[in-house]
Amino acid sequence: MTTHFWLGGSIAKRALACPGSLQYRSSGSSAAADRGTLLHDAMTRLTTGEIERVEHAVGMSGNGQRVTQRDARMALAPAHRAIKTWLDGAPAQYEVQVRFRSIRNAGGTADVLAPHGIADYKFGSRPVDVTKNEQMMFYAAAAIECGALAPRKEYSLCIIQPEVKKTPMVDVVTHDELIDLTARLKEAAKNARSKKPRFASGDHCTFCPATQRCPTRLDSPFAALKAAFKP
């Protein structure tokens, strides 16, 4: 059963920049998110051997979505090759729930957990930068805290996004960087639960559920002008 955390990896970047946004929750899913969830499930079945061949995933369905021939050819097949390349024979666990012990109700699910790091599948066409990626670092830091990932000097963070690149996109972070991220997350969580949480606008606002209610955006001159001309 999937645990829905108050602070998860997908909103780690926004939480660090704007702790106040944690007061708002997303209203629901989308067709793109549902497709991603289905393809994640297909990848887990492929990597664990439940499905022997990529083409056997065609026809899988869930939440109104269905794995097509194109999905198998353009998404699952290159993703399957990429994860094998990144693992390079190393043992792995799939869909591993990791959580912070030092931050209440904070954690998430790592798509692939190996002794040398974390890998995550992305099935959208919007490019995701792996360099110092807050979501990936969040999963790795949580995995260390809960004992799912053994301490080491450096960790490999891998994003597999076949719509953007057919090969693994990899960054390397140090143990100290992950410890620093944990400290920043703790401070953000503390601020979010305070009586006067901090709000800030930026590129992290794109998918924020508080877009129409955020005090920072509403207090801006442009927002005030827009509201003045609203019927």
Side-chain angles (χ1 to χ4, degrees), residues 99-225:
R99 64 170 66 228
F100 285 94
R101 292 174 176 171
S102 60
I103 308 173
R104 177 161 50 95
N105 201 9
T109 300
D111 290 340
V112 184
L113 179 65
H116 61 294
I118 299 278
D120 193 66
Y121 303 118
K122 304 290 184 186
F123 290 108
S125 57
R126 183 189 178 105
V128 178
D129 187 4
V130 70
T131 307
K132 299 298 180 285
N133 183 285
E134 289 87 352
Q135 180 180 12
M136 300 300 296
M137 293 178 71
F138 177 100
Y139 292 144
I144 293 170
E145 272 214 3
C146 70
L149 194 59
R152 54 189 293 151
K153 288 184 178 180
E154 294 181 333
Y155 302 87
S156 173
L157 305 182
C158 172
I159 287 180
I160 294 174
Q161 190 176 16
E163 292 276 358
V164 175
K165 189 175 181 180
K166 303 301 182 186
T167 54
M169 296 182 285
V170 180
D171 188 32
V172 175
V173 296
T174 66
H175 185 270
D176 287 344
E177 286 177 311
L178 296 180
I179 295 302
D180 176 68
L181 178 82
T182 300
R184 289 163 54 208
L185 287 168
K186 287 170 67 175
E187 185 59 35
K190 180 180 178 181
N191 182 273
R193 291 186 168 110
S194 68
K195 292 182 179 180
K196 292 184 178 180
R198 175 170 56 84
F199 289 88
S201 60
D203 61 356
H204 54 272
C205 295
T206 305
F207 299 107
C208 180
T211 302
Q212 303 302 320
R213 297 169 288 173
C214 175
T216 299
R217 292 171 67 90
L218 293 176
D219 289 344
S220 71
F222 176 75
L225 182 63

Side-chain angles (χ1 to χ4, degrees), residues 2-17:
T2 302
T3 301
H4 296 284
F5 292 97
W6 173 69
L7 173 53
S10 62
I11 61 172
K13 178 179 179 178
R14 171 160 55 84
L16 289 167

Side-chain angles (χ1 to χ4, degrees), residues 47 82-94 112-116 119:
T47 49
I83 192 61
K84 286 185 175 180
T85 298
W86 180 72
L87 287 172
D88 193 25
Q93 301 176 64
Y94 304 95
V112 184
L113 179 65
H116 61 294

